[in-house]
Amino acid sequence: MSAAHYADVARAFQARGDAPAWLQSFREEGLSQFQARGLPTSRDEEWKYTPVATLSSQPFQPVQAVATGEDVAQAVARLALPGPRLVFVDGRFVPALSVLSGLPRGVVLKPLSQALREDGALLQETLGQLSRPSAHAFTSLNAALLEEGALLTLAPRALSEVPVQLLFLARGGDGPVLASPRIVVVAGEGSEATLVETYAGLGSGATFTNAVTEVSLGDNASLRHFKLQAEGDTAVHLGGLYSRQGRDSRFQSHAFSFGGALARNEVHAAFAGEGGECVLNGLFVGRGTQHLDNRTDLDHAVPHCSSRELYKGVLDDRARGTFHGKIRVREDAQKTDASQTSRNLLLSEGAQVDARPQLEIFADDVKCAHGTAVGRLDDNALFYLRSRGIPKAEAERMLTQAFASELVRAVPEGPVRAQVEELLAGKLPGAARTEVMG
């Protein structure tokens, strides 16, 4: 399907006329931007390595309602973390499987469809301020179809010790399904929380998840953000995370990408106040013919901020991955301390990776470094393990797991790390060729 198909889908959605004027205007701006841009092609530098032509081959469109059968209940039982959560199936909120009890004082979590009715003033001020509809075609499309997702707000000095989970299940229906979740996080001064986005596949239906997350951190606020993406073998996943940090705030993003025929994970982080700290970590593991893209854009716009960035890729068979990262240090951002590292492991002759870390520095009193490496399993290490009676397949598995473990250990011990470890185990050499979360 061409861009015209998605424009028609958005027009039909907006024609319902059930939104307040400000929201309808926001959606219409998204549609206008999408029509002006169209779907990106390999001629667009930012999308040169992302084969989005697959989105033109099937008529993806939103579902109006979902039926929650035993497969959904079992998936939730398997993937749910202890604590509050919202559950979505093919982009639709499922109240019966969600848990909103146990939220600490000052922490509010609700589906976006409810928030659009109850928190219009807040959303009118925040929606699209970090991820503007003009950013690129898919943020435009998400805005044009804005309806569902989640709103998480933290009052000043609110503390949520238990992770808040957003569980998105891509099931697929009678035809190819499009889901466009929008997640908005507003953390007040001195607040602290952990947010987990989990994307999993159910069955073999064709699905397209186009997700946007906007995070606004007040002064001295802290947020740990985890994204676990393990959708089905035929899924397309495009996700963008946009954050803005106030003075002395701390933000951590840990992205784990394991599923999908095509998956692209973007992180756009910006410092808006001095003394901020930002950590961007990512692990992508692909096999078969998977294509896993990762892009980061970190904007040091103010002085005295620090950032650490580490992305690792593991690719087998004929899988392909990319890491394109950019750190921008603006003229006034003196005393910036930033580092960016990309390391990649190829397990077969047919696997490929494109890695391009970048620094743009316009200040003169900074400490910045970046680097990249691409290699294969160490022959000496393999020989050492095999000489001690360990079969080749198991030796390869052990070494691959050791390569990835640095990013797994960055996740605090507990249910989130356990889920990451389970996902990784299903993708290591010798693991059964089944959907990790299917």
Side-chain angles (χ1 to χ4, degrees):
M1 298 292 108
S2 66
H5 163 74
Y6 294 101
D8 288 343
V9 168
R11 273 192 293 270
F13 167 75
Q14 294 179 11
R16 300 183 316 187
D18 57 353
W22 71 267
L23 178 56
Q24 190 68 10
S25 177
F26 182 80
R27 291 169 173 171
E28 289 172 355
E29 180 189 357
L31 176 56
S32 176
Q33 293 286 350
F34 178 76
Q35 288 178 301
R37 289 175 172 271
L39 293 175
T41 69
S42 59
R43 293 188 297 273
D44 298 297
E45 182 62 30
E46 294 294 309
W47 296 85
K48 182 177 180 180
Y49 297 95
T50 309
V52 295
T54 183
L55 296 176
S56 301
S57 63
Q58 300 190 71
F60 293 99
Q61 54 186 318
V63 297
Q64 297 303 312
V66 294
T68 55
E70 187 64 25
D71 59 336
V72 173
Q74 291 177 356
V76 172
R78 186 172 70 252
L79 301 171
L81 300 172
R85 67 174 181 267
L86 300 181
V87 176
F88 304 83
V89 177
D90 287 335
R92 313 304 299 185
F93 175 57
V94 183
L97 297 174
S98 301
V99 176
L100 290 173
S101 59
L103 286 167
R105 182 185 299 272
V107 180
V108 177
L109 174 68
K110 60 181 67 175
L112 190 65
S113 54
Q114 177 183 345
L116 288 170
R117 298 190 303 270
E118 300 176 353
D119 304 276
L122 172 63
L123 290 173
Q124 191 172 354
E125 292 178 357
T126 56
L127 272 174
Q129 295 304 303
L130 306 184
S131 115
R132 297 189 179 279
S134 59
H136 61 60
F138 296 105
T139 56
S140 302
L141 184 60
N142 181 282
L145 295 170
L146 185 73
E147 182 180 29
E148 194 54 278
L151 172 64
L152 174 64
T153 60
L154 292 92
R157 291 169 293 283
L159 173 62
S160 180
E161 296 181 348
V162 178
V164 173
Q165 185 183 28
L166 306 177
L167 177 53
F168 297 91
L169 301 176
R171 188 188 204 185
D174 296 332
V177 171
L178 166 62
S180 303
R182 174 71 64 114
I183 299 159
V184 178
V185 180
V186 181
E189 180 180 359
S191 61
E192 184 174 345
T194 298
L195 176 65
V196 182
E197 294 182 41
T198 305
Y199 296 85
L202 293 177
S204 57
T207 60
F208 170 24
T209 300
N210 181 31
V212 174
T213 299
E214 297 181 284
V215 175
S216 179
L217 297 183
D219 294 346
N220 201 36
S222 178
L223 181 72
R224 277 189 180 137
H225 177 268
F226 298 92
K227 180 176 180 179
L228 284 58
Q229 189 281 118
E231 290 169 311
D233 292 339
T234 60
V236 176
H237 181 100
L238 303 179
L241 168 63
Y242 299 79
S243 70
R244 181 171 58 200
Q245 297 183 232
R247 177 179 51 81
D248 296 325
S249 62
R250 297 163 301 283
F251 178 62
Q252 293 185 20
S253 165
H254 302 263
F256 297 90
S257 186
F258 300 110
L262 167 64
R264 174 171 166 135
N265 189 62
E266 297 184 18
V267 181
H268 302 265
F271 291 104
E274 296 187 22
E277 299 175 5
C278 181
V279 174
L280 304 182
N281 286 337
L283 175 65
F284 55 101
V285 184
R287 62 190 186 189
T289 58
Q290 283 184 279
H291 191 111
L292 305 176
D293 280 0
N294 299 269
R295 302 187 73 92
T296 65
D297 189 338
L298 183 52
D299 188 0
H300 280 265
V302 295
H304 299 282
C305 292
S306 65
S307 63
R308 296 292 181 266
E309 190 169 350
L310 174 60
Y311 269 70
K312 287 189 175 185
V314 180
L315 300 168
D316 202 355
D317 302 323
R318 291 183 292 121
R320 184 165 183 174
T322 70
F323 170 77
H324 288 180
K326 178 185 291 186
I327 295 177
R328 183 184 298 106
V329 182
R330 298 186 183 269
E331 185 175 356
D332 294 331
Q334 305 295 346
K335 301 299 183 181
T336 286
D337 182 357
S339 69
Q340 180 187 75
T341 304
S342 166
R343 297 175 185 157
N344 303 277
L345 181 62
L346 302 181
L347 301 178
S348 68
E349 294 294 330
Q352 297 182 56
V353 67
D354 297 289
R356 190 172 66 179
Q358 294 177 278
L359 287 175
E360 290 185 356
I361 303 175
F362 300 99
D364 54 16
D365 187 6
V366 302
K367 181 181 178 182
C368 297
H370 73 302
T372 185
V374 179
R376 302 188 183 279
L377 291 175
D378 184 80
D379 289 335
N380 291 330
L382 276 173
F383 177 79
Y384 177 85
L385 293 174
R386 296 191 66 191
S387 68
R388 277 146 181 79
I390 299 175
K392 180 181 178 182
E394 181 60 24
E396 291 177 342
R397 181 181 179 88
M398 291 172 63
L399 292 175
T400 304
Q401 187 170 23
F403 174 80
S405 64
E406 182 178 6
L407 290 165
V408 177
R409 290 197 306 270
V411 181
E413 289 190 16
V416 179
R417 183 195 283 191
Q419 199 166 95
V420 171
E421 290 174 338
E422 181 181 355
L423 289 174
L424 177 61
K427 297 288 286 189
L428 292 173
R433 301 284 166 142
T434 58
E435 294 180 17
V436 179
M437 284 190 175

